Amino acid sequence: MLTDPAPELLVEVLRGDRDQRPLRDDHSAAGLRATLEDHVFELFGPERRATPTVISSATLRGSGRVSELFDSPLGRARSILIPTVFRLLVAHVHVQDPYDDALAAWRGEHPRDELVELLSHFDHDQVARLRADVHAHYCTLVQGLGPIPSSWLPRTSQRARQLLGGGSVELRDVVDLVVGSTHGVVASVALVDITTSPLGAGAERALRYHALVQTLRTSVVPLRTVAFSSATGELWALDVDHEMLTRSVEDLVEALARKDAPQ
Amino acid sequence: MSLLVQRRLTSGHVADLIAHAPQDVAQVSDDHRASLASRFRAVPPSEHRRLDAWMVEQAGRPPGPFAWSPATARRILGNNALRRLPSVPDTILNAVRDELADQLLRAARGYARPGSLGHWLAGVAHPVLGLITGEAVNWATQVLECAQGIDVEYRVASSDVYFDVAGARTTLRGRRDLIITTDTGRVVVRIRSGQPGKSAGPGLRSDLVVETLAHPDGLAPRRYLGLWPDAGLALGVDGTMENVRAGARDFVRAAVAQRRHGLVRAA
């Protein structure tokens, strides 16, 4: 299901009506893992590679493209600061100035990170532009997000790492927000990806990838996977089903074949 | 043979690992403790030595200087918040906030010594406190998710376990997050980030040996479980004498390697 650009708050589409949710599916994960293992064996053979081929949501999001405006230093800085300020919002922290607060939080977490180094090389104009940019994205985020109830068990920057082919392939993923528990009778886990780029075909592949990796990690199929663009306010929500996960396996196999192909 | 049990991290598998943990466990005596102490005394340290599973996994390489960060503070804050939950029915977020407020209050009253968590929290900026809150909520939620599949009585560990080796200027530390009590003994759970590497087994055995040595009767837990939610994996070592001995040997090896590193650095 794809919704039109931002007709409602993110929290409203996140979990929907409880009565409409499908039963918890904890059987599909094993089949998906077996299918993936078969594909990896076909591509990589029986030998375990010394260095694993790493796949992340960025690999799938950027399939085929060369470079974009968002790869600029300004875009990179923004793509770090917006998820950071999003984490503050989910923790119900009062944000006074999104740029200063996000930067202070990021510095506190990664004191020697390259972003801090990057910002020190920005001139006044670039800093002012970044500040205005972060403010604009923050406003879009606040308008589209809505308060996330603590009873939904929200966790931010949820990491996942899955090995395939005895360690020849490593799937890495970071989901900006995960809500819901895997222990309910009905599916209740929803995944949210906050992006500072407009949504496109790559974002849809990334949504499917998040759902697949979450399924492999927890062995339970999530309810829904959502992308929100802080650039445009667009909101895409996909209900996770077996067909969607199978498509994600195909995306992944294509990406692996591309990565494995001789340059 | 020392066995490592591996399963997917699902509620069913975790419940199974607990239910089918062996009931015959090792018991260490004073003789065992004295024997271990003599081995550590044979590797004299230049200063007081602290060893834990991480150092065993890193083959005795000395760790870098410790610094508080949202990532290093989340486990203490998250576990303390979880211990508040059964007594006061509330959300995890509020429990974490209460825990943070307690830490800050302790610092404001002058009870927090320099270098402690409370002392560090008192000096960080407001947005960093927000990030720390988020990280602690993440940790607590993760622990709760892991614990929801456990259908027997469990509690969140109030602290890690420590054992001072007599006359060897050595302290061993074992990390633990959940303690599950069954009629026939206890199962201890440790939750970790990332994915288990090749040294995950020795790491778990190291935690097992400290837990056993620190027990008043020297009784090993039935099983020591390591849960890696990021990777969706659960690993376990049984509380057999073989595993306890292997864990103790790994600690002595780590002490030897640490001493060697120290001598190289000094030379």
Side-chain angles (χ1 to χ4, degrees):
Chain A
M1 178 196 78
L2 283 176
T3 65
D4 290 322
E8 58 240 309
L9 289 175
L10 188 141
V11 285
E12 287 168 3
V13 294
L14 213 48
R15 300 178 83 191
D17 185 0
R18 188 183 160 84
D19 296 335
Q20 304 290 318
R21 291 185 206 156
L23 288 174
R24 184 179 74 150
D25 176 359
D26 51 8
H27 302 295
S28 297
L32 291 164
R33 181 177 291 279
T35 311
L36 271 171
E37 289 285 6
D38 288 348
H39 283 298
V40 169
F41 184 83
E42 279 171 25
L43 285 168
F44 290 75
E47 293 296 314
R48 188 191 161 173
R49 301 210 166 173
T51 319
T53 301
V54 178
I55 300 284
S56 67
S57 58
T59 316
L60 292 157
R61 188 177 278 126
S63 294
R65 74 174 188 154
V66 182
S67 67
E68 283 182 13
L69 180 67
F70 306 100
D71 295 333
S72 66
L74 216 62
R76 267 167 46 214
R78 190 183 54 210
S79 68
I80 288 173
L81 295 176
I82 292 299
T84 306
V85 81
F86 174 70
R87 289 171 71 187
L88 297 180
L89 286 174
V90 175
H92 295 204
V93 175
H94 174 67
V95 178
Q96 209 148 21
D97 181 293
Y99 176 79
D100 289 339
D101 287 0
L103 193 57
W106 184 258
R107 274 202 178 118
E109 193 178 31
H110 307 276
R112 281 175 289 279
D113 187 73
E114 62 170 14
L115 174 71
V116 179
E117 175 76 10
L118 186 74
L119 288 176
S120 65
H121 289 100
F122 279 8
D123 59 30
H124 290 304
D125 282 353
Q126 283 176 306
V127 171
R129 206 174 138 205
L130 180 61
R131 182 184 283 274
D133 228 11
V134 169
H135 268 272
H137 281 261
Y138 172 75
C139 289
T140 314
L141 199 56
V142 170
Q143 279 170 11
L145 186 64
I148 310 272
S150 302
S151 55
W152 287 6
L153 303 174
R155 48 258 189 222
T156 50
S157 291
Q158 171 105 58
R159 289 173 190 281
R161 291 174 85 177
Q162 294 289 310
L163 294 180
L164 297 169
S168 293
V169 175
E170 185 175 335
L171 308 182
R172 288 186 192 167
D173 196 24
V174 183
V175 181
D176 291 313
L177 172 68
V178 179
V179 298
S181 167
T182 53
H183 295 282
V185 180
V186 292
S188 68
V189 174
L191 318 170
V192 181
D193 185 14
I194 303 291
T195 174
T196 55
S197 315
L199 301 182
E204 202 176 330
R205 278 193 297 270
L207 279 184
R208 290 197 290 264
Y209 179 75
H210 291 319
L212 177 67
V213 176
Q214 170 77 12
T215 305
L216 296 176
R217 189 179 78 83
T218 61
S219 301
V220 176
V221 176
L223 168 71
R224 197 160 289 157
T225 175
V226 178
F228 181 83
S229 165
S230 61
T232 60
E234 284 172 288
L235 174 67
W236 287 5
L238 296 169
D239 285 342
V240 183
D241 54 20
H242 197 270
E243 190 189 334
M244 187 235 243
L245 293 170
T246 311
R247 274 191 74 188
S248 183
V249 169
E250 287 164 13
D251 293 342
L252 197 57
V253 172
E254 271 177 35
L256 279 172
R258 234 184 353 260
K259 274 209 156 194
D260 195 44
Q263 299 298 308
Chain B
M1 195 173 67
S2 176
L3 281 177
L4 187 66
V5 193
Q6 180 180 325
R7 297 279 184 280
R8 303 290 323 161
L9 178 51
T10 63
S11 50
H13 282 140
V14 172
D16 207 41
L17 282 170
I18 294 164
H20 295 110
Q23 297 187 6
D24 294 329
V25 295
Q27 185 169 18
V28 295
S29 61
D30 287 345
D31 288 346
H32 288 115
R33 289 190 176 100
S35 165
L36 180 68
S38 70
R39 279 160 200 249
F40 274 113
R41 277 197 294 270
V43 195
S46 54
E47 54 189 21
H48 193 93
R49 178 167 52 198
R50 288 176 184 82
L51 296 171
D52 62 10
W54 176 250
M55 293 194 68
V56 169
E57 290 180 32
Q58 296 297 306
R61 269 194 298 275
F66 177 79
W68 286 111
S69 70
T72 51
R74 67 182 170 199
R75 182 168 167 261
I76 294 177
L77 292 170
N79 282 351
N80 286 354
L82 278 179
R83 276 202 309 279
R84 288 169 182 268
L85 279 180
S87 55
V88 186
D90 207 339
T91 63
I92 293 175
L93 178 63
N94 283 343
V96 167
R97 279 177 172 164
D98 287 352
E99 177 58 27
L100 272 169
D102 269 7
Q103 294 275 355
L104 291 170
L105 201 64
R106 227 172 288 160
R109 286 178 176 161
Y111 293 133
R113 60 178 171 76
S116 67
L117 175 60
H119 192 264
W120 174 70
L121 288 172
V124 300
H126 173 71
V128 183
L129 267 183
L131 215 53
I132 294 165
T133 308
E135 281 288 332
V137 169
N138 279 359
W139 177 269
T141 310
Q142 190 169 266
V143 174
L144 211 59
E145 275 279 291
C146 292
Q148 271 190 352
I150 300 171
D151 48 11
V152 284
E153 191 188 332
Y154 71 87
R155 65 187 164 87
V156 180
S158 54
S159 72
D160 287 337
V161 62
Y162 294 87
F163 179 73
D164 267 317
V165 185
R169 297 168 72 201
T170 301
T171 303
L172 307 179
R173 177 199 192 186
R175 288 187 183 236
R176 54 185 186 177
D177 295 303
L178 296 171
I179 299 167
I180 298 144
T181 318
T182 66
D183 296 337
T184 46
R186 67 200 191 285
V187 175
V188 183
V189 177
R190 183 182 171 184
I191 295 165
R192 297 185 61 175
S193 306
Q195 64 184 15
K198 285 177 189 165
S199 53
L204 280 177
R205 281 200 300 261
S206 307
D207 286 328
L208 171 79
V209 74
V210 189
E211 176 73 26
T212 308
L213 288 166
H215 190 271
D217 299 324
L219 269 177
R222 290 173 60 199
R223 192 168 264 171
Y224 215 103
L225 292 178
L227 308 184
W228 278 262
D230 294 359
L233 288 173
L235 266 60
V237 289
D238 296 344
T240 59
M241 185 51 91
E242 203 168 13
N243 278 331
V244 172
R245 281 208 175 105
R249 274 198 298 270
D250 288 340
F251 264 129
V252 174
R253 272 193 214 112
V256 171
Q258 193 189 41
R259 182 173 150 76
R260 201 179 302 136
H261 284 301
L263 289 174
V264 168
R265 241 197 346 255

